[in-house]
Amino acid sequence: MKSQTGAIFTLGRGAIISDSNKQKTNARSSTEAELNGVDDKISKILWSKRFIEHQGFKVKLTVIYQDNTSTIKLAENGKTSSGKRTRHFDIKLFYITDLIDKDEVTVKYCHTDDMIADYNTKPVVGVKFRTFRNQIMNLSIIHPDGQQECVGKNVQGKNDKSHMTKNVSKTES
């Protein structure tokens, strides 16, 4: 079954690219579908990073947020952590491992409820919809106690404009 991949590229506190498409290959598991999603989007991540660097800005860290812990382990350890269920994965899916080893990107866990890329792949309604929309558009929220706070709790270094993040999520279709 082909999965849907969604990605949100953020720079500072707002989204600069929002992307969603059906994966080109069938996946046998959610872990494989997540690795396919990272592989599909990694070229856009690297192009954006290098474009910003060639404009004279320093990109300190490129973070890929992932909500599948098996995918994170496979991305960090590559084929060496493959087992019986993952040995059929295509070697091209482990390009991310080389990028992690070169310190080009890092992969961090993001809880499924906080994965803003789901905005592109799943029917999101109510409070979750408004929260994700506000994060993507860098809108402020007025809290009941009158305090105003900028959303984007998963983005480290909120005031650091040289920090790029990317969220990848998938859903079966």
Side-chain angles (χ1 to χ4, degrees):
M1 190 182 256
K2 292 187 181 179
S3 299
Q4 187 76 18
T5 296
I8 305 285
F9 296 81
T10 60
L11 181 64
R13 291 182 282 176
I16 57 172
I17 300 171
S18 180
D19 193 16
S20 178
N21 61 317
K22 188 173 280 273
Q23 292 182 357
K24 297 174 185 108
T25 59
N26 290 324
R28 292 182 178 185
S29 67
S30 61
T31 301
E32 185 177 8
E34 295 281 357
L35 274 175
N36 278 330
V38 171
D39 186 64
D40 286 347
K41 303 301 177 193
I42 198 71
S43 60
K44 196 176 278 191
I45 295 169
L46 294 176
W47 184 91
S48 300
K49 178 183 180 197
R50 291 184 181 130
F51 177 79
I52 292 168
E53 288 175 339
H54 280 80
Q55 301 305 311
F57 298 97
K58 175 86 172 108
V59 178
K60 293 180 184 174
L61 186 61
T62 303
V63 179
I64 298 173
Y65 287 108
Q66 183 56 250
D67 60 357
N68 186 310
T69 54
S70 296
T71 302
I72 294 170
K73 288 176 185 169
L74 282 170
E76 290 173 345
N77 302 321
K79 230 16 184 167
T80 58
S81 66
S82 288
K84 213 172 13 173
R85 293 178 173 207
T86 59
R87 64 179 168 217
H88 68 278
F89 289 4
D90 191 354
I91 195 71
K92 80 176 184 91
L93 298 179
F94 295 102
Y95 175 58
I96 184 71
T97 306
D98 295 336
L99 295 173
I100 292 170
D101 291 343
K102 293 179 194 174
D103 291 327
E104 291 266 344
V105 298
T106 185
V107 180
K108 292 186 179 180
Y109 179 77
C110 176
H111 193 274
T112 303
D113 292 337
D114 299 327
M115 183 61 71
I116 64 172
D118 286 350
Y119 186 84
N120 291 333
T121 61
K122 297 177 182 170
V124 184
V125 296
V127 174
K128 195 170 187 179
F129 170 82
R130 287 187 294 280
T131 302
F132 286 169
R133 180 200 59 201
N134 292 344
Q135 284 179 314
I136 291 167
M137 297 178 69
N138 192 22
L139 299 174
S140 297
I141 295 176
I142 305 290
H143 290 284
D145 61 0
Q147 298 238 336
Q148 186 171 345
E149 177 185 293
C150 291
V151 294
K153 64 183 176 185
N154 287 330
V155 179
Q156 299 171 354
K158 287 182 180 181
N159 297 324
D160 186 3
K161 300 283 190 240
S162 61
H163 182 100
M164 281 181 37
T165 61
K166 182 224 178 228
N167 296 303
V168 176
S169 180
K170 68 99 195 140
T171 182
E172 300 295 324
S173 54

